Amino acid sequence: MAQAGFEMVRYADDFVILCHTADEAHRALELVRHWVADNSLMLHPTKTKIVEARTDGFEFLGYRFVKHRRFPRRKSLDKFKDAIRAKTKRTSGDSLAFIVSRVNQTLYGWFTYFQHSHGTTFRPLDGWVRMRLRSILRKRSGRKGRALGLDHHRWPNAYFAKCGLFSLVAAHELAVQSSRR
């Protein structure tokens, strides 16, 4: 692809070819189709497509690329939330410190991979994780339902920071700050 004048980003068997025009994109796709056929391989029928990244966007390696921004794709967010849900069951008999340490493992690993996402990604996820933890505390104090309203005063964000909860927002601010030096 480089010899043909195209820029290609690849990881294992996944790749994206970046083009300036639709004509270039069609030419690149034909080159790929010929190479794949010559090597007795197949292109994935639903993943192989030409998109206008500035309007339609595309998904690659767990990210959703739209314009010049990156976001975790929906499937990646769902998998993340499922992992957190499994560690924050309201009926868990584990101590809050133990639950936070297990949640931190998932948060840290997820952030390490998705730290290059757009900044608006992290605040809602931090809030969602704290809501899960507040629900555990609410259940333990004999209250029913989801942690809303006054629970934010009972257990403010600073409470969870003192418990050692990893903050995606704080980690992103540090990552962005160090990249601007």
Side-chain angles (χ1 to χ4, degrees):
M1 296 313 290
Q3 290 172 345
F6 296 109
E7 181 148 354
M8 185 166 112
V9 178
R10 157 182 102 75
Y11 182 81
D13 63 343
D14 290 330
F15 61 91
V16 173
I17 300 170
L18 307 169
C19 302
H20 293 287
T21 66
D23 289 338
E24 282 184 9
H26 288 288
R27 202 164 39 93
L29 184 55
E30 282 308 309
L31 280 172
V32 169
R33 282 195 174 127
H34 287 300
W35 185 89
V36 165
D38 291 345
N39 289 284
S40 302
L41 298 171
M42 287 178 40
L43 289 173
H44 194 285
T46 59
K47 289 183 178 181
T48 305
K49 56 189 167 188
I50 295 174
V51 298
E52 172 57 60
R54 292 173 288 217
T55 56
D56 301 330
F58 63 95
E59 294 181 351
F60 183 59
L61 301 178
Y63 278 95
R64 171 109 183 114
F65 293 84
V66 181
K67 295 185 182 179
H68 59 280
R69 296 184 174 137
R70 287 174 291 232
F71 301 92
R73 69 182 190 159
R74 170 60 40 205
K75 188 175 176 182
S76 301
L77 288 170
D78 290 345
K79 188 175 174 184
F80 166 76
K81 286 185 173 185
D82 287 345
I84 296 295
R85 279 186 193 103
K87 294 176 181 182
T88 58
K89 293 185 186 225
R90 291 172 30 131
T91 56
S92 171
D94 297 324
S95 70
L96 185 63
F98 180 76
I99 293 169
V100 166
S101 71
R102 291 194 59 225
V103 166
N104 279 349
Q105 293 171 349
T106 300
L107 289 170
Y108 182 75
W110 191 87
F111 178 77
T112 300
Y113 188 79
F114 288 104
Q115 67 183 311
H116 303 292
S117 296
H118 191 265
T120 58
T121 301
F122 304 107
R123 190 167 306 281
L125 292 175
D126 267 351
W128 184 82
V129 170
R130 286 190 303 267
M131 180 272 300
R132 298 282 307 172
L133 294 172
R134 283 184 183 106
S135 291
I136 292 169
L137 294 170
R138 183 176 180 79
K139 172 94 172 165
R140 289 178 182 179
S141 64
R143 294 175 174 86
K144 294 183 179 182
R146 276 183 51 190
L148 301 170
L150 291 177
D151 292 328
H152 292 278
H153 297 288
R154 275 187 203 101
W155 303 291
N157 296 354
Y159 173 81
F160 296 106
K162 286 179 187 173
C163 290
L165 182 66
F166 182 84
S167 169
L168 297 170
V169 170
H172 184 255
E173 287 171 358
L174 283 173
V176 169
Q177 178 184 26
S178 62
S179 69
R180 291 183 180 160
R181 287 185 179 178

